[in-house]
Amino acid sequence: MQTAHKLGKEEILNLFKDGCKNSCQIGMEYERLPIFPVTSRAVDYGSEFGICNFLRNFAREENWDYITDDYNIIGLKQEHDTITLEPGCQVELSIKPENTIHEIKNKIESLDKKMSPILDKFNISLLNYGVSPLSTHKSINLIPKKRYKLMAKYLWGILSDVMMRETAGVQCCIDFESEEDAVKKFKIANKLTPFMTAMFANSPIRGGVETGYKSFRALSWLNTDNDRCGFVGQIDDRFSFEEYVDYVLETPMIFINRDDDVVPINGKINFAEFMQNGYEGFEPDIQDFELHSNLYFPEVRMRNFLEIRNHDCVGKGLQYSILAIYKGILYNNSAIAEIEELFAPFDYRDFSELRYNVVKSAMNAKIGRFYVKDIAKEILYIAEKSLIEADLDEEKYLDAIKEYALAGICPADVIIRNWNGIWNRDVKKLIKYVS
């Protein structure tokens, strides 16, 4: 079925230009792992006490609408907020952007309070943790969503199944005023991500054993699909909306949607080739690009906002520390300048190597001659100063991460110490700790 006009790059660029706004809102996507604490195993989709029936019960109790795929319930929505399922039944809360972290926290706590009695009825715990603690991908079935089957078949990295079925993270969404502002924030956010991965590393135990990695979730992303993951470009001074789009256009396509069905492409062409030649009689439209760009998984994804992606799921207030750091830095030009000065000694190769080193060593990794734990303290100082200056009482959300960072450790370090100490390698004690 052919579209009425030929898709051009200018129409694609307008998606990003239309995102420019005079706003300092912040958004959050918060994934958690549903576990049966009695067995310590991952919750399935379709059984009597599975995640589908949990969603059905919640929708009935709280008057939310179903999100379906081929008549299967894959999520719920109410106004601008959604509760959706990731491929291995991970539960994601996607919260409408708000002006303050207070509002985000209140919304999350309100949703948790509403979900709690139904979760209790189903004997499900939602874990604030980055990787499935006991069940591995071999025993976690994909939810019945057509795109996930195609993604699982296509993604070629050796840990892509782990990423899809076992992991959970926290994402932060940031606005931009102009293309220049977007590019400035995009570059700084990319450079911050390996430090943030280290500070919030929270997935050292997987499959019931210590893995030797402090963020096994981040390791899985390093081994998912190098064509569509990692940094976009060289995170240098030469960048623009058009250059970001060019990287997306050169990425192999996985599938397109047509008439409520999916058409597999499986990497045979990239999007630029699709725009030039079509595919098996299909011509591209703007929805095809939006889908394709959502199947592109960089550390920082540019949309009509910035989506900063690479953090393990964390709890105990740490999830709001993530938002506070980015808000404190990216919405303050003086803070951005200070971060640029902090990062000035390092080049693209340094940041790129650091991505690979922090998954194992976290705060003890080095960039150049410096330890991540020392730079992390500077990052926190800059963010805190900015938040105090903004006078919204949001600096308090840094307290949770300061407790770790000022000691030079991350959440995974505490888990490893307890795992080999008072927990006696008992996965049930880990699950209780991160519930």
Side-chain angles (χ1 to χ4, degrees), residues 37-52:
V38 173
T39 62
S40 305
R41 298 204 169 270
V43 173
D44 65 330
Y45 176 81
S47 70
E48 182 183 357
F49 294 101
I51 211 72
C52 180

Side-chain angles (χ1 to χ4, degrees), residues 187-195 231 234-235 299 339-340 342-358 366-368 375:
K187 289 188 293 188
I188 289 294
N190 271 288
K191 292 176 181 180
L192 281 168
T193 55
F195 297 96
F231 290 137
Q234 300 289 306
I235 56 173
E299 305 291 89
I339 291 288
E340 285 175 336
L342 181 65
F343 290 160
F346 314 120
D347 59 20
Y348 169 77
R349 182 179 294 179
D350 294 320
F351 291 105
S352 190
E353 286 179 1
L354 188 59
R355 286 181 63 233
Y356 286 84
N357 292 336
V358 293
K366 291 182 82 171
I367 181 168
I375 293 176

Side-chain angles (χ1 to χ4, degrees), residues 5-21 176 178-179 240-245 249 275 286 289-290 293 302-305:
H5 75 286
K6 193 169 181 68
L7 179 66
K9 191 189 279 189
E10 196 56 43
E11 187 177 353
I12 292 172
L13 286 170
N14 284 337
L15 290 174
F16 300 90
K17 293 173 183 174
D18 290 347
C20 298
K21 56 184 86 71
F176 49 78
S178 62
E179 181 170 8
S240 63
F241 286 156
E242 184 167 8
E243 285 192 61
Y244 182 87
V245 167
L249 295 182
M275 289 174 67
I286 196 66
F289 177 81
E290 290 179 299
S293 65
M302 198 178 281
R303 304 169 69 169
N304 55 0
F305 54 88

Side-chain angles (χ1 to χ4, degrees), residues 254-324:
I254 301 178
F255 65 90
I256 56 174
N257 288 326
R258 287 295 184 275
D259 299 325
D260 294 324
D261 205 357
V262 292
V263 178
I265 296 179
N266 294 324
K268 293 174 188 170
I269 59 170
N270 62 34
F271 203 90
E273 291 166 330
F274 186 36
M275 289 174 67
Q276 188 170 347
N277 304 316
Y279 180 76
E280 294 187 355
F282 297 106
E283 294 293 332
D285 59 27
I286 196 66
Q287 286 78 28
D288 292 326
F289 177 81
E290 290 179 299
L291 170 65
H292 177 64
S293 65
N294 283 336
L295 295 170
Y296 186 57
F297 307 117
E299 305 291 89
V300 183
R301 183 191 273 155
M302 198 178 281
R303 304 169 69 169
N304 55 0
F305 54 88
L306 297 183
E307 182 184 88
I308 313 169
R309 303 166 42 78
N310 200 19
H311 323 92
D312 283 0
C313 177
V314 283
K316 306 183 192 302
L318 289 163
Q319 61 271 58
Y320 308 113
S321 296
I322 293 171
L323 306 185

Side-chain angles (χ1 to χ4, degrees), residues 17 79 93 132 182 191 220 237 239 400:
K17 293 173 183 174
E79 297 179 349
L93 306 185
S132 178
K191 292 176 181 180
S220 74
D237 291 334
F239 207 69

Side-chain angles (χ1 to χ4, degrees), residues 14-32:
N14 284 337
L15 290 174
F16 300 90
K17 293 173 183 174
D18 290 347
C20 298
K21 56 184 86 71
N22 290 317
S23 166
C24 294
Q25 290 192 319
I26 193 151
M28 181 183 189
E29 294 180 9
Y30 178 29
E31 301 168 2
R32 282 173 289 183

